[in-house]
Amino acid sequence: MTTVLTPVTAPVARARPALVLAWVGLGLLALAAAWPALLATAAPDTVDPASALAPISPHHPFGTDQLGRDVYSRVVYGTRMSLLIGLGATTLAVTVGALLGVLAAAAGRAVDELFMRITDILLAFPGLLLALLVIAVLGPGAVNTTIALACAAVPGYVRLARGQALVVRRSGYVSAAVVMGRSRVGIFFGHVLPNALPPVLAFAAVDVGTALMASASLSFLGLGAQPPAPEWGSMLAEGRDYLDSAWGLTVFPGLVVTAAVIACYVVGADLRARFEGRGTGGR
Amino acid sequence: MSPALRWLARKLALAVLVVLGAATVAFAALHLAPGDPVRAVIGTLAPSDDLVAQVRADLDLDKPLATQYAHMLGGLARGDLGESYQLRRPVVEVIVADLGWTVQLAVASLLLALVVSTALAVATAGRRPTLRRVSILLELVTASSPTFWVGTILLAVLSFQLHLFPAAGAGGLEGLVLPAVTQAIGLVGIFTQVLRQSMEQALDEPFALSARARGTTETALRLRHAARHALIPVLTLSGWILGALLSGAVVVETLFSRPGLGRTLVTAILGRDLPVVIGVVVVAAALFTVINLVVDLLYRVVDPRLREWAA
Amino acid sequence: MDDEVVSVAGLHVTYRVGRAEVFAVRGVDFHLRAGECLAIVGESGSGKSTVARALVGLTGPGARLRSDRLVVSGQELSRLGDREWRRIRGAQVGLVLQDALTALDPLRTVGAEVAEAARNHGLVRRGEVARRVHRLLTDVQVPQPELRARQYPQQLSGGLRQRALIAAAMAADPPVLVADEPTTALDVTLQAKLLDLLAARKAAGTAVLLISHDLSVVALLADRVAVMRDGEFVETGCTADVLRAPEHPYTRQLLAATPSAHARGARLAGPRSTPARTRTPRPSGVLARVREVSKTFRGPGGARLAAVSEVSFSLSAGEILGVVGESGSGKSTLAHLLLGLLEPDTGTIELFGQPWSGVPEARRQRGRVQWVQQDPLGSFDPRYRVGRLIAEAGVDRARVRELLDQVGLDPAMADRHPRTLSGGQRQRVAIARALARDPEVIVCDEPVSALDVSVQAQILDLFADIRADLGTALVLISHDLAVVHHVADRVLVMRAGTVVESGPVTEVFARPTHPYTAQLIAALPRPGDAYAAHPEGVA
């Protein structure tokens, strides 16, 4: 799936073992991104034409690519780039989106109306199309991919944050706080913000996975991170030409992307289930 | 004017606004962007200044931006989207040729995904715990696998190894199978999750208890009562679905070397073919608003609670 | 006996919760004859609904059913498979649930829902469905049956919807009708009409099993009554006997807790447990003056809806003012206006001798008028614990403990989360919070309507104590005439946004001048009138 935003409340299996596994997976990814040398068996760019397209072996757990580089180590080193794009895009989108959304909810009718009309129009576009448009303007590359994916996701977050903030603002406990004489500012920081944000953040956790997938797709199209830097999507694109002779080149990076996305989904779905109904004050 | 007509007029006005906005944003973004489309069009490394100036004049890029914008709007009103820099053909012609392919792919994968996920959801909603668990796991995996990776693996196994389907091109039904399956796989995961969740919710409502207490069978309950309730969230997702189909087309068409809007868009972006990019954006926006309108109408067919035509 | 259509003995139902087995029903026996009504009365969690569902084999997944005898129309049901159960459901036993808005499928027409049981059991041919639906809807006195059958449940009023639900349950002419809280979602005037309808079914020979929490409803319909608590029948007998001379202490407690005409002002939940406090001296006089206040909302489609129009009244220090009306009468809007959460379109509100409406927020003395809402949990920030909830009113920890003690809660509860408390405890926390800054007025909007009758009794007693101890004036908004009659000094009767009648409670109830008030009072079921009041009733 190459969508930038999943509006689905992914009712993923919330089984305990799956959750533990997902957290362990995210931990491993974080480790690979921070200190790749700890997990890798070779440098990601050591070219060795003699052992090009080698099959799976204890020495090369995922085999080697057309230049003899160790695929496993490239996957490990690629984590940083992929994760940075996914996390960066989502963080950017959440920050801007939540800020605008909560402001729209708190501001007067006119501002709110204006914001919502604009997001209506932006939301009428598929996320990837928006991202492609941004890339068409800025040009390909890792940083531009991050910005493009963030831009594509912002309207969704504006909507979500505004909706959550409105639910809280109309809740019985905010009215109760008014009657108790708390100030507008006090209510905003004491009730609206802390109750409206967690569901948005839980959504963002899911979205990191979606952004990971989208960025891999963009690299695959040649519009994302550019080779030779190791990145999951571009590795997959390169491996496609050698499907006959060395399937490991394609299969393993893809498996890692899938696993990373699943981990984000499972953790995000769990967070969301925890916050569900809390912001609304329901039972 | 009747409320229904007024509603329709409002929606149509909004649709025109969306298309206009899309065209404006795309125009502004692309023409203000760094990088010279003229050099991209010529392609050679060091074109002579004369050549650059001539091509620039050919493409109308030497006129002031406001004139170019007015020109584009005028064209838009006549249904003219300009001429492609790269293909030297009218953009409308390019898009019309592509649209059929993309729609064919989208419809095929949508139908496939809907049929498979409805069957899965009806079979597993609130019953058959083991099958339900397996299904949930599969949905998670398919929803989390990048489309291009799934497609690549299908290609490797079914085309290269087993020679069941052609690896590239669009020839006939055979050429449609792999791309459509690839697209559908991602959708099935999400659809089934949504359908099952809403179906389970509906089966938990008091009206389901009422129906059971009237002697209604489980399957009849699912088909007569729960299925309609399950359809509503799928309609809500329609915007997202359309996005997924269009985004998916970009990847799938490139992967399977199929003609279509998505592939044309990627090529145009890489070649800075501005009229084509703007054209695709405008057509996508129009498609989107039209489909949203249809979905709004469908909502009212499925859910009588919405038949009040309030905006 | 021959005419026994239902005969149940030794019915046990258990649910598996985690590894433990929890009893919902333990050893219940009853029988039901044609044309007879048995009522099972109990508070929430007593297991009464489980008994109702056991008769249609729909106790839900995870439930285990055991019985010595479970016979309906001569057929033993306890060992039936799902296929055989389906032949019973609808054909032998019809089920009516509480709220027709959710108990009828909102996406199907009323006609389709009404016809479903008859179609399931092959009782009608395709061409005859419309005629059958017409007859069924006419039987339950739904006017314009052809039109109604084509409409969707949400297009019908609450009363008509509930009738359609009964028609749907009767579609296959079952000899037994199980009605689980059939009138709870209805306003009092509609409730009386629906009970008449059930009485007509009974007279036509249907055996009715009525499940209710409300003794006064039971008194109007049931021949026999079974009082249920913790999965057991603590007392069964002829309705008149049980209500007049209850034997079991729990039955007596339930009856005493029900506000009735004879027990006005008496304690409902037994003698006071907390010591009375010395009364804070308060200035007397008028606290609030509401002058010709109107508030209009814009509905969907631009229609204007007058929620409150030209309402005037005043509130004196230390008085309890009851506001009575059915749903949609504008009671809650009035509460929001009094609390300064809404501004009136026209008219003025004066509090404590100063203007209250139309002044900037900073000029309002918020601490002097406080609020208790219907749903306490919704009025609590979901992140807060009890202590912090009360402290938000601007008081310290010592005062929080004092307040908890004052409303009859353990001060150690300050560290608990409201979600872990019972409904009654939550409402006490809400009251403690309202009392925090020692207000002169507390607006209570349906404060007891979500509570069981014995818990309602405790909260109403607490209100009386607060007024006696602190001299706080209360505005008590309720749909329940009996509640207002019991505690209020004066009453406003609201209908469609206007006050149709006001005055001292005793006077209004004895000599209503407006026909609507008279109608409300006439529709009020009163076990105390039908059967002499219970011993402790008159203090």
Side-chain angles (χ1 to χ4, degrees):
Chain A
M1 274 286 121
T2 46
T3 36
V4 176
L5 235 160
T6 332
V8 183
T9 46
V12 171
R14 281 189 69 217
R16 192 142 276 289
L19 194 58
V20 172
L21 220 62
W23 276 110
V24 169
L26 287 189
L28 276 177
L29 286 181
L31 192 66
W35 298 285
L38 276 181
L39 294 175
T41 52
D45 45 8
T46 313
V47 175
D48 179 11
S51 61
L53 302 176
I56 296 166
S57 66
H59 195 60
H60 298 294
F62 292 178
T64 62
D65 68 5
Q66 70 278 14
L67 298 176
R69 295 174 295 192
D70 182 50
V71 173
Y72 167 71
S73 302
R74 281 181 67 76
V75 168
V76 170
Y77 275 92
T79 311
R80 181 178 291 175
M81 177 81 84
S82 299
L83 221 55
L84 272 182
I85 295 178
L87 269 177
T90 310
T91 313
L92 204 63
V94 171
T95 315
V96 177
L99 200 73
L100 291 179
V102 170
L103 273 180
R109 232 214 178 105
V111 178
D112 188 34
E113 192 72 8
L114 180 73
F115 272 45
M116 283 311 105
R117 287 298 143 254
I118 295 176
T119 51
D120 265 351
I121 291 179
L122 286 176
L123 277 174
F125 281 94
L128 195 77
L129 198 66
L130 266 181
L132 285 176
L133 191 62
V134 175
I135 288 175
V137 172
L138 300 177
V143 175
N144 292 350
T145 300
T146 312
I147 297 173
L149 292 176
C151 286
V154 162
Y157 281 107
V158 175
R159 262 283 142 108
L160 183 65
R162 172 182 174 271
Q164 290 293 335
L166 282 183
V167 166
V168 176
R169 234 184 61 174
R170 289 174 192 149
S171 70
Y173 55 90
V174 164
S175 305
V178 173
V179 170
M180 278 185 277
R182 286 196 71 176
S183 65
R184 272 183 85 122
V185 177
I187 289 172
F188 183 79
F189 286 103
H191 293 293
V192 177
L193 213 55
N195 281 302
L197 277 190
V200 178
L201 293 181
F203 195 98
V206 175
D207 227 21
V208 172
T210 320
L212 268 180
M213 223 168 17
S215 87
S217 301
L218 287 174
S219 324
F220 167 79
L221 295 173
L223 299 170
Q226 301 293 307
E231 196 270 351
W232 296 342
S234 44
M235 289 177 68
L236 274 161
E238 286 171 38
R240 212 154 61 92
D241 299 335
Y242 305 94
L243 259 181
D244 280 340
S245 42
W247 50 268
L249 240 61
T250 310
V251 170
F252 289 115
L255 272 180
V256 173
V257 176
T258 305
V261 176
I262 291 181
C264 291
Y265 275 12
V266 171
V267 167
D270 177 64
L271 289 178
R272 189 176 312 167
R274 281 177 204 218
F275 295 131
E276 211 134 81
R278 272 198 44 182
T280 55
R283 37 248 70 222
Chain B
M1 212 169 9
S2 78
L5 270 179
R6 197 165 24 206
W7 175 86
L8 195 67
R10 244 188 84 106
K11 289 280 172 186
L12 283 176
L14 195 71
V16 171
L17 219 70
V18 168
V19 172
L20 212 63
T24 308
V25 169
F27 177 87
L30 289 169
H31 282 270
L32 298 176
D36 188 354
V38 174
R39 280 167 208 280
V41 168
I42 297 169
T44 46
L45 283 174
S48 70
D49 288 350
D50 284 354
L51 183 61
V52 169
Q54 196 207 326
V55 171
R56 196 180 301 281
D58 270 4
L59 300 178
D60 274 353
L61 286 171
D62 54 346
K63 306 236 168 62
L65 266 186
T67 316
Q68 291 186 45
Y69 179 63
H71 189 73
M72 182 198 73
L73 286 188
L76 207 55
R78 292 188 310 269
D80 178 7
L81 292 168
E83 192 174 89
S84 159
Y85 296 167
Q86 301 278 345
L87 307 167
R88 317 297 332 223
R89 279 166 55 205
V91 173
V92 172
E93 204 176 280
V94 175
I95 288 178
V96 166
D98 285 344
L99 199 58
W101 292 110
T102 303
V103 168
Q104 182 194 44
L105 175 64
V107 170
S109 38
L110 186 63
L111 285 182
L112 188 62
L114 272 179
V115 168
V116 172
S117 18
T118 310
L120 272 176
V122 170
T124 61
R127 54 178 172 182
R128 302 202 181 98
T130 314
L131 184 61
R132 186 175 179 275
R133 226 167 285 156
V134 171
S135 178
I136 286 180
L137 188 68
L138 276 178
E139 289 149 28
L140 184 57
V141 172
T142 55
S144 306
S145 307
T147 310
F148 63 93
W149 182 60
V150 171
T152 309
I153 290 187
L154 286 180
L155 263 181
V157 176
L158 299 179
S159 289
F160 297 155
Q161 302 290 326
L162 302 174
H163 302 287
L164 287 176
F165 299 100
L173 209 58
E174 282 157 35
L176 184 61
V177 174
L178 273 191
V181 169
T182 303
Q183 275 237 63
I185 282 179
L187 294 175
V188 163
I190 308 276
F191 281 11
T192 316
Q193 285 178 1
V194 174
L195 277 171
R196 186 180 36 242
Q197 196 193 23
S198 49
M199 204 173 262
E200 283 177 353
Q201 223 162 28
L203 289 173
D204 222 28
E205 295 276 335
F207 69 75
L209 179 64
S210 287
R212 285 191 177 111
R214 290 178 205 133
T216 309
T217 64
E218 274 304 303
T219 307
L221 180 64
R222 274 149 214 263
L223 294 178
R224 265 188 235 155
H225 296 267
R228 294 186 84 172
H229 288 262
L231 211 58
I232 293 173
V234 174
L235 282 179
T236 309
L237 273 186
S238 59
W240 174 86
I241 292 168
L242 195 63
L245 287 172
L246 211 67
S247 310
V250 173
V251 171
V252 170
E253 284 165 6
T254 308
L255 180 64
F256 290 97
S257 321
R258 247 179 92 89
L261 269 191
R263 193 154 147 229
T264 302
L265 179 65
V266 174
T267 319
I269 287 174
L270 288 171
R272 299 205 62 76
D273 196 343
L274 305 192
V276 174
V277 176
I278 295 175
V280 173
V281 166
V282 166
V283 167
L287 216 61
F288 238 75
T289 46
V290 167
I291 297 222
N292 274 333
L293 198 68
V294 172
V295 167
D296 265 348
L297 284 168
L298 276 181
Y299 260 127
R300 288 165 164 80
V301 172
V302 174
D303 191 343
R305 286 170 293 189
L306 295 174
R307 283 182 205 154
E308 300 210 329
W309 303 107
Chain C
M1 253 179 282
D2 291 338
D3 57 348
E4 265 185 19
V5 274
V6 179
S7 172
V8 176
L11 175 67
H12 288 79
V13 183
T14 56
Y15 284 94
R16 195 166 321 139
V17 177
R19 290 230 175 105
E21 292 239 37
V22 180
F23 272 95
V25 177
R26 37 180 135 199
V28 156
D29 312 307
F30 63 91
H31 60 90
L32 199 54
R33 293 193 197 89
E36 183 189 40
C37 173
L38 168 71
I40 302 181
V41 176
E43 299 189 287
S44 48
S46 61
K48 57 188 193 302
S49 284
T50 310
V51 175
R53 282 162 177 59
L55 277 187
V56 282
L58 288 170
T59 39
R64 243 163 40 103
L65 205 130
R66 195 153 49 77
S67 66
D68 300 332
R69 192 166 68 240
L70 183 62
V71 176
V72 171
S73 303
Q75 195 177 352
E76 173 61 47
L77 306 178
S78 50
R79 305 239 183 308
L80 292 192
D82 203 51
R83 181 183 291 267
E84 292 129 312
W85 259 120
R86 278 202 297 273
R87 282 207 282 272
I88 302 296
R89 295 173 191 153
Q92 299 298 325
V93 184
L95 178 68
V96 176
L97 293 172
Q98 176 174 338
D99 182 4
L101 189 57
T102 55
L104 290 172
D105 190 335
L107 303 189
R108 302 182 78 214
T109 60
V110 171
E113 288 284 277
V114 169
E116 190 169 34
R119 288 180 50 195
N120 285 340
H121 296 287
L123 296 176
V124 280
R125 269 180 289 143
R126 199 162 271 281
E128 291 168 4
V129 170
R131 196 137 33 99
R132 178 90 164 200
V133 168
H134 186 279
R135 203 203 77 208
L136 286 164
L137 287 176
T138 313
D139 278 356
V140 293
Q141 295 164 22
V142 169
Q144 298 171 282
E146 295 93 352
L147 170 70
R148 297 310 184 185
R150 269 181 282 125
Q151 289 184 318
Y152 290 90
Q154 58 280 357
Q155 292 174 289
L156 269 58
S157 68
L160 286 188
R161 244 188 336 247
Q162 200 71 18
R163 284 158 195 236
L165 188 61
I166 292 179
M170 297 302 297
D173 263 328
V176 182
L177 186 64
V178 178
D180 191 353
E181 302 272 11
T183 62
T184 306
L186 297 179
D187 283 328
V188 58
T189 45
L190 295 171
Q191 174 175 314
K193 285 183 191 144
L194 200 90
L195 288 174
D196 287 346
L197 203 66
L198 286 175
R201 304 306 321 174
K202 199 177 77 157
T206 308
V208 179
L209 180 67
L210 175 70
I211 311 288
S212 181
H213 70 283
D214 191 342
L215 280 169
S216 42
V217 165
V218 167
L220 290 176
L221 188 67
D223 305 299
R224 287 181 299 121
V225 60
V227 180
M228 193 168 184
R229 186 174 68 163
D230 294 338
E232 288 172 320
F233 286 175
V234 296
E235 179 164 1
T236 48
C238 174
T239 307
D241 293 343
V242 170
L243 292 189
R244 191 186 311 121
E247 278 172 15
H248 196 276
Y250 178 68
T251 316
R252 256 178 262 155
Q253 186 197 325
L254 264 188
L255 273 168
T258 310
S260 67
H262 297 272
R264 187 175 123 75
R267 293 195 75 80
L268 294 168
R272 183 169 182 166
S273 54
T274 50
R277 282 153 212 266
T278 43
R279 182 176 173 148
T280 336
R282 283 205 197 266
S284 57
V286 173
L287 292 181
R289 269 183 220 287
V290 175
R291 288 196 190 93
E292 301 191 340
V293 160
S294 298
K295 180 75 191 174
T296 304
F297 293 110
R298 204 183 291 275
R304 294 176 82 75
L305 188 93
V308 167
S309 50
E310 313 240 318
V311 166
S312 305
F313 64 92
S314 63
L315 177 72
S316 305
E319 121 177 286
I320 298 185
L321 175 69
V323 180
V324 171
E326 302 191 335
S327 46
S329 61
K331 310 178 300 249
S332 286
T333 306
L334 189 63
H336 283 82
L337 288 165
L338 264 180
L339 290 160
L341 290 169
L342 285 176
E343 287 290 326
D345 296 333
T346 58
T348 56
I349 300 176
E350 238 178 63
L351 276 190
F352 321 115
Q354 284 158 358
W356 176 259
S357 57
V359 298
E361 185 60 37
R363 294 244 315 271
R364 285 189 174 135
Q365 293 169 298
R366 281 282 181 195
R368 295 174 75 180
V369 49
Q370 285 297 307
W371 188 23
V372 174
Q373 304 180 41
Q374 172 175 0
D375 169 23
L377 208 52
S379 76
F380 299 156
D381 188 313
R383 296 169 305 128
Y384 285 12
R385 285 168 198 279
V386 168
R388 194 169 164 201
L389 280 170
I390 300 175
E392 198 191 354
V395 294
D396 61 12
R397 279 195 74 80
R399 174 82 176 133
V400 168
R401 298 174 68 85
E402 186 187 317
L403 284 161
L404 285 172
D405 186 50
Q406 197 170 346
V407 297
L409 289 176
D410 181 357
M413 265 186 193
D415 298 322
R416 296 270 295 275
H417 196 282
R419 272 193 303 248
T420 66
L421 303 182
S422 70
Q425 287 170 330
R426 289 172 191 163
Q427 201 55 289
R428 283 172 194 268
V429 171
I431 293 169
R433 181 172 69 173
L435 287 174
R437 302 233 314 251
D438 197 18
E440 282 143 90
V441 182
I442 302 179
V443 178
C444 307
D445 190 358
E446 299 277 9
V448 292
S449 52
L451 302 176
D452 275 327
V453 62
S454 59
V455 182
Q456 164 179 308
Q458 296 165 12
I459 298 294
L460 291 180
D461 283 353
L462 180 61
F463 282 140
D465 294 346
I466 287 169
R467 193 257 294 264
D469 289 356
L470 307 172
T472 315
L474 301 176
V475 178
L476 182 71
I477 295 170
S478 177
H479 70 284
D480 189 339
L481 243 64
V483 162
V484 168
H485 175 256
H486 189 84
V487 292
D489 305 312
R490 282 196 310 133
V491 63
L492 300 181
V493 181
M494 287 191 74
R495 185 191 194 188
T498 57
V499 173
V500 296
E501 182 153 10
S502 63
V505 165
T506 42
E507 230 166 80
V508 170
F509 273 68
R511 285 176 296 279
T513 54
H514 194 279
Y516 178 67
T517 318
Q519 193 191 339
L520 273 185
I521 294 171
L524 183 66
R526 50 189 94 195
D529 275 8
Y531 312 97
H534 39 287
E536 299 97 320
V538 190

